[in-house]
Amino acid sequence: MALERTLSIIKPDAVASGHTGDIVARFEKNGVKIIAMRMLKMSRSQAEGFYAVHRTRPFFNDLVAFMTSGPVVAMILEGENMILKNRDLMGATDSKKAAPGTIRADFGTDVEKNAVHGSDSPETAAVETAYFFTACELNA
Ligand code: CMP
């Protein structure tokens, strides 16, 4: 198995409801190494750029409004098969349909307020990690 890096974002709903620590602990208890972390409030243009792949979707404006509604915590996670492992830990996109014990089931509400984002492929992970963290920060 390959050592991979992926981007995780703790979304405004989970930060506002005080679950940042719970979600970080969930990763660490599952052997995930957190190699970068930053709390920030995304601007409208940052959120639009981050979710550009969804710009033609009907939920795009609501998604951007939600992601800019409060602070988020961006992290780079590292581990064996990390992209798929993160998706397993997160659960299904819609918190209402996510399996019990997953982050989205435990800390999210619905398909929009779903507590966390995670990259969905190696290609996306490379783009998304670079969107939030520079190479210099990772080597610091
Ligand atoms: P995320 O993993 O951040 O990637 C894109 C986001 O779009 C997704 O999580 C959801 O929060 C959101 N999303 C996907 N489908 C829908 C939908 N049908 N309605 C509202 N939001 C959605």
Side-chain angles (χ1 to χ4, degrees), residues 10 19-30 32 34 37 73 75 103:
I10 304 176
H19 290 304
T20 300
D22 293 319
I23 293 171
V24 169
R26 184 71 62 92
F27 286 129
E28 292 186 330
K29 281 178 188 156
N30 280 278
V32 173
I34 299 170
M37 180 186 287
V73 176
M75 297 175 282
I103 294 171

Side-chain angles (χ1 to χ4, degrees), residues 107-137:
F107 304 117
T109 307
D110 53 30
V111 72
E112 180 181 83
K113 295 178 177 59
N114 62 354
V116 281
H117 166 81
S119 310
D120 63 5
S121 69
E123 295 73 24
T124 311
V127 172
E128 292 188 350
T129 53
Y131 200 83
F132 284 96
F133 298 96
T134 67
C136 289
E137 286 171 312

Side-chain angles (χ1 to χ4, degrees), residues 28-81:
E28 292 186 330
K29 281 178 188 156
N30 280 278
V32 173
K33 191 172 170 189
I34 299 170
I35 62 163
M37 180 186 287
R38 177 187 298 129
M39 180 177 272
L40 67 143
K41 193 162 181 296
M42 294 174 81
S43 68
R44 184 171 178 85
S45 63
Q46 279 174 324
E48 286 173 347
F50 183 75
Y51 281 120
V53 68
H54 296 303
R55 66 186 172 280
T56 58
R57 303 283 195 95
F59 58 81
F60 181 69
N61 286 339
D62 287 344
L63 175 62
V64 169
F66 167 58
M67 289 301 289
T68 56
S69 66
V72 301
V73 176
M75 297 175 282
I76 297 181
L77 312 179
E78 185 180 82
E80 295 290 337
N81 213 15

